[in-house]
Amino acid sequence: MAAPFRARPPVRAAGFVVLVLVSQAAHGLVTNPFYQWDRFAYWFARPVVLDGLLITLQVTAYSAVLGLAGGVLLALCRLSGSPVLRSVSWTYVWLFRSVPLIVVLLFLYNLGALYPTLGIGIPFGPAFLTFDESRLATDIVVAVAGLSLCEAAYAAEVVRAGVLSVDQGQHEAAAALGLPGRYRFARIVFPQALRSIVPSYVNQLIGLLKATSLVFYVSLLDLFGTVQNLAGTYPGDVVPLLLVATVWYVVLTSLVSVAQFYVERYYARGALRTVAPTPLQRARAGLRDLRIRFRKETAR
């Protein structure tokens, strides 16, 4: 085992300065009456806030699943041998990565003005089935559709990069065994690609979770929209309400990061000799080292 790194005096001094600055910031955050922590505690778990939080979770979950499914489909089209599928997939990714999310949401929200009814039928011919767009496109449908369309474009590049990161020898070995193409991808290539896909896509998922705050502009009261409405009704509680939204977003992204750690650890088992220890294992190792040092000091 390598010897632990010992900080030199300049590094120790920099660490001390950072510790002082962090302590001052924490002290100001706790003692400044402008933050109104009593009002923060009042609003943090109010039913109206929890209802908005539930909508945020619903929109994020639906958009993440649909976006990932669309991203896998688009990535397969980009990697296929069909020039039509490659061109359409590239155009889709280029378009939705270029247009801001808020523009997509507002466009879908006002889609009824362009297409009052939607139909399925023969191109340039009669429609077999028609839908009333105003009834079909509810607020949550518009929000999920807009987020999913944009998320699929980013997920497609994440999945494509993960598939391309798999060593070519794996493809050749699977082909030499005579395995069908679908089986090669599902059982050999894609599981190895997940080691590269998971970290990048979880970062996308965290961005998606925060991007749900934009659905407020299509009349869907998620966590941010609820806080905005309450701040308009209670102007004296603007800061504590913003802190409520901030803390809830931090909690949610932290939970996603914890899940990311364990998923990465699971998929790293076949690539690393030893997987990264869990926080509990690190804590146990730290306590064990402290006991060993204590025994050595007392034995002198």
Side-chain angles (χ1 to χ4, degrees), residues 2-173:
F5 175 76
R6 294 184 178 180
R8 297 181 179 180
V11 177
R12 293 179 182 177
F16 177 76
V17 171
V18 171
L19 183 62
V20 171
L21 294 177
V22 171
S23 301
Q24 288 180 338
H27 179 267
L29 188 66
V30 172
T31 59
N32 192 336
F34 185 72
Y35 291 110
Q36 305 177 61
W37 291 109
D38 56 334
R39 300 300 296 169
F40 167 86
Y42 172 80
W43 287 114
F44 185 73
R46 297 295 294 178
V48 63
V49 174
L50 296 181
D51 289 342
L53 177 63
L54 180 60
I55 293 176
T56 294
L57 292 175
Q58 289 177 338
V59 172
T60 302
Y62 295 151
S63 303
V65 172
L66 295 175
L68 180 59
V72 172
L73 182 61
L74 290 168
L76 292 178
C77 291
R78 285 286 303 273
L79 298 171
S80 69
S82 171
V84 175
L85 293 180
R86 290 201 306 268
S87 300
V88 171
S89 176
W90 181 89
T91 303
Y92 180 97
V93 173
W94 165 76
L95 178 63
F96 281 95
R97 289 175 67 187
S98 302
V99 179
L101 175 59
I102 184 63
V103 175
V104 175
L105 289 172
L106 292 176
F107 183 84
L108 292 177
Y109 187 66
N110 296 281
L111 190 62
L114 296 174
Y115 303 101
T117 59
L118 300 176
I120 299 176
I122 301 175
F124 311 106
F128 301 134
L129 189 62
T130 60
F131 305 95
D132 187 352
E133 197 275 339
S134 61
R135 294 183 180 180
L136 183 65
T138 60
D139 293 340
I140 192 167
V141 169
V142 170
V144 171
L147 289 169
S148 300
L149 289 172
C150 292
E151 186 67 14
Y154 292 97
E157 291 300 284
V158 171
V159 173
R160 187 175 68 89
V163 172
L164 293 177
S165 69
V166 178
D167 187 79
Q168 188 63 28
Q170 299 292 321
H171 297 265
E172 296 172 353

Side-chain angles (χ1 to χ4, degrees), residues 142-205:
V142 170
V144 171
L147 289 169
S148 300
L149 289 172
C150 292
E151 186 67 14
Y154 292 97
E157 291 300 284
V158 171
V159 173
R160 187 175 68 89
V163 172
L164 293 177
S165 69
V166 178
D167 187 79
Q168 188 63 28
Q170 299 292 321
H171 297 265
E172 296 172 353
L177 293 174
L179 299 177
R182 225 181 318 178
Y183 187 88
R184 291 201 303 265
F185 178 79
R187 300 301 299 272
I188 296 177
V189 177
F190 194 65
Q192 296 183 65
L194 284 174
R195 290 198 299 269
S196 299
I197 292 173
V198 169
S200 300
Y201 187 70
V202 172
N203 288 332
Q204 283 295 123
L205 186 59

Side-chain angles (χ1 to χ4, degrees), residues 242-265:
L242 290 176
L243 287 174
V244 166
T246 300
V247 172
W248 272 121
Y249 282 121
V250 169
V251 169
L252 294 178
T253 54
S254 300
L255 292 176
V256 174
S257 299
V258 171
Q260 175 189 7
F261 171 79
Y262 284 99
V263 172
E264 287 182 3
R265 192 171 182 271

